[in-house]
Amino acid sequence: MLMGERIKVLTIGGIPIHVHTSWLLVYALITWTLAVGYFPRALPDMPALGHWVSGLVAALLLFLSVLAHELAHSLVATAHGLRVRGITLHVFGGVSEMQDEPPDPRAEFLIAIVGPLASFAIAGVLWAALAAGIVPGGAPRAIVLYLLTVNVVVGVFNLVPGFPLDGGRVLRAALWRWTGALGRATAIASQVGRAFAIALMAVGVVQIVYGELLGGVWMILLGLFLKSAADASAAQVALRDALGQVPVQAAMARDVVTVPATATVAELVRDFWSHHFTSFPVVDGRGVVGVVTVHQVPQVPEEARAERRVEGLMTPLAEALVVGPRDSLLQALEKSTRNGLGRLAVLDDGRLVGYLSVKDIVHVLTLRGFDGARAAGAVPVRPPVRRAA
Ligand SMILES: [Zn+2]
C-alpha cells in the first residue's frame, strides 16, 4: 500500500519521526486544495500568492497536529514499557510503530484514547484563543479555524470503534477486559474495523457516481488502507493465539543430523544429497557451534570445496539461532524469521536436543486450520503493531 521511501526528519523524546514520501504528495495536495478552495472563500480580498502561502502554512500545521496526536500515543506507550520503533507520517495520516502489544486492557485503553484527546486538546486551545480574541483577523484567523476543524475531524474519525483505529482499540480494550481474551477481542474489533472500511469504500463509490471523483477515490483508498490494516492485525493476533501456547519441543525434529565443523565443504555437499535436508547444525567437541545451509555452499568455488572447511562457511552460533525446547513456537517464529536462515537449533542446557525450521512451524499452523496462504502471509514478517492515524 505504501510505496517509496521514508525520511527521518527528527527525534523527539528518543522517538524517531519519519516522513513517508507519500506524505509529500499529500502535503502538496492539501496545500493546493486549500489555496484554490478554502482560502479564496475565507479571504476573498487576498491575492492568490497569499492563498498559497496560507495553504502551505496551514498544511504544515496540520502535519504538526497529526504528529502531536501520534506523539501522545507513543509517549503513553513508552510510559507503559512498550518499545516504540518510531512514528511515520504518511498519506493517510500517521502511525506509531510499537514493537509489543500492550500488557493489559488499561494500558491499551490509555494508549489509544490519548491520541483523540490530543487532537481535541489542540482544537480546544485554538477555540479558546479565538474566543479570547487574541488571534488577528485575516489569514491567521482563517488558518486557526481550519486547524480547529481538522483536529476535531481527526479526533472524531479516530474514535470510530473499528480496529485498528483508536476507537477500535478502545473497543478492544473493553472487550479484552470483559472477556479476558485478547485474541477474541481483537477478532471482534477487527471485524467492526473491516465493516467500517467497507462502508467508507461504499461511500466513495456513491461520491464517484455523483461526480465527486477525487473525494470518492480518496475514500476508497482510505477504506482499502484501513481494511488491510484490520486484516493484518487480526492475522497477527490469530497467529499469536495459534502458536503462543505451543512449545518448541512439540514441533521440532528430534533426530538431528549434524555436520562436524572440520568436515570439508565437499563432504557437506554429499551430506545434503544423502539426507535431503537443506541445513545442518555444525558441531565440534564442545557441542553446537553454528548452522550451515545449502544456500551458503555457492560461496565456495567448486574447485576449493575439497579443502575449505564447514567452520569457515557456517553461520556461527548466536542468540538469534538458538531456542529452548519450552519456548513458545511464536518466539521461535519471530527468531527464525529475523535470523535470515529460517532455522533454529534447539538447545537444552547447551545440549542439542532438536532442530526447528520455519516449515515445521507452518505445518503446525496448517494443522490448526490456518490456510496455506494465510499462514505464509503471516509468517515471513512480523508486522509492527501499527495504529492508523
Ligand atoms: Zn490515533
Side-chain angles (χ1 to χ4, degrees):
M1 192 74 224
L2 300 175
M3 308 143 288
E5 293 294 309
R6 50 184 214 170
I7 309 149
K8 187 171 150 190
V9 283
L10 73 162
T11 303
I12 301 176
I15 299 165
I17 315 289
H18 304 271
V19 172
H20 197 272
T21 42
S22 66
W23 197 84
L24 297 174
L25 179 76
V26 93
Y27 184 33
L29 202 66
I30 291 173
T31 302
W32 174 63
T33 52
L34 287 172
V36 302
Y38 173 73
F39 285 113
R41 271 199 311 275
L43 307 161
D45 301 331
M46 190 183 247
L49 180 65
H51 294 151
W52 280 95
V53 172
S54 302
L56 279 168
V57 171
L60 185 66
L61 292 172
L62 165 63
F63 154 79
L64 291 177
S65 302
V66 173
L67 182 58
H69 175 116
E70 291 305 327
L71 260 183
H73 286 310
S74 291
L75 293 175
V76 175
T78 1
H80 282 87
L82 271 69
R83 290 165 298 169
V84 178
R85 230 179 277 170
I87 293 173
T88 303
L89 296 160
H90 59 70
V91 63
F92 297 115
V95 287
S96 302
E97 292 171 14
M98 298 179 192
Q99 272 177 278
D100 327 270
E101 291 283 2
D104 54 66
R106 189 172 169 275
E108 167 81 332
F109 172 76
L110 291 174
I111 296 167
I113 199 72
V114 74
L117 287 182
S119 297
F120 292 138
I122 295 169
V125 168
L126 296 175
W127 179 82
L130 282 176
I134 55 171
V135 179
R141 194 180 149 78
I143 291 172
V144 165
L145 270 173
Y146 166 75
L147 285 174
L148 200 169
T149 314
V150 287
N151 273 289
V152 169
V153 169
V154 166
V156 170
F157 178 79
N158 276 288
L159 281 179
V160 169
F163 197 78
L165 289 172
D166 298 332
R169 291 188 173 270
V170 169
L171 173 66
R172 179 169 86 145
L175 291 168
W176 183 5
R177 173 150 204 173
W178 185 37
T179 63
L182 175 62
R184 178 124 189 74
T186 308
I188 297 170
S190 302
Q191 215 44 53
V192 180
R194 280 196 202 99
F196 177 62
I198 290 164
L200 280 183
M201 289 187 252
V203 169
V205 170
V206 172
Q207 280 184 306
I208 290 172
V209 168
Y210 282 89
E212 266 190 69
L213 186 65
L214 190 62
V217 169
W218 183 254
M219 279 285 185
I220 290 171
L221 288 177
L222 182 58
L224 283 171
F225 171 72
L226 287 179
K227 185 168 177 305
S228 79
D231 289 344
S233 308
Q236 199 183 335
V237 174
L239 196 65
R240 204 169 117 141
D241 266 14
L243 297 180
Q245 305 302 324
V246 186
V248 164
Q249 55 195 356
M252 69 188 188
R254 287 163 194 274
D255 302 322
V256 191
V257 180
T258 58
V259 172
T262 51
T264 64
V265 176
E267 287 167 327
L268 172 71
V269 171
R270 280 197 289 279
D271 281 344
F272 282 129
W273 282 114
S274 55
H275 294 285
H276 282 272
F277 291 145
T278 53
S279 77
F280 297 105
V282 182
V283 292
D284 69 3
R286 296 165 294 150
V288 188
V289 290
V291 170
V292 69
T293 79
V294 70
H295 307 289
Q296 290 168 310
V297 171
Q299 294 170 20
V300 180
E302 291 225 41
E303 58 278 11
R305 288 181 190 170
E307 286 100 58
R308 296 275 289 276
R309 310 236 168 242
V310 168
E311 57 197 345
L313 179 66
M314 68 182 192
T315 307
L317 200 69
E319 168 53 26
L321 286 178
V322 176
V323 74
R326 283 165 295 278
D327 289 344
S328 76
L329 280 185
L330 186 69
Q331 283 169 283
L333 179 64
E334 285 171 15
K335 264 194 184 174
S336 58
T337 48
R338 251 185 289 132
N339 70 18
L341 290 181
R343 313 288 201 296
L344 292 167
V346 186
L347 299 187
D348 199 3
D349 262 343
R351 201 168 48 87
L352 182 70
V353 293
Y355 198 54
L356 187 75
S357 75
V358 170
K359 228 190 240 168
D360 300 321
I361 303 176
V362 171
H363 287 161
V364 172
L365 285 175
T366 310
L367 289 172
R368 293 186 155 238
F370 267 76
D371 61 63
R374 195 168 154 222
V379 168
V381 283
R382 180 178 176 240
V385 182
R386 313 193 108 190
R387 339 186 136 250

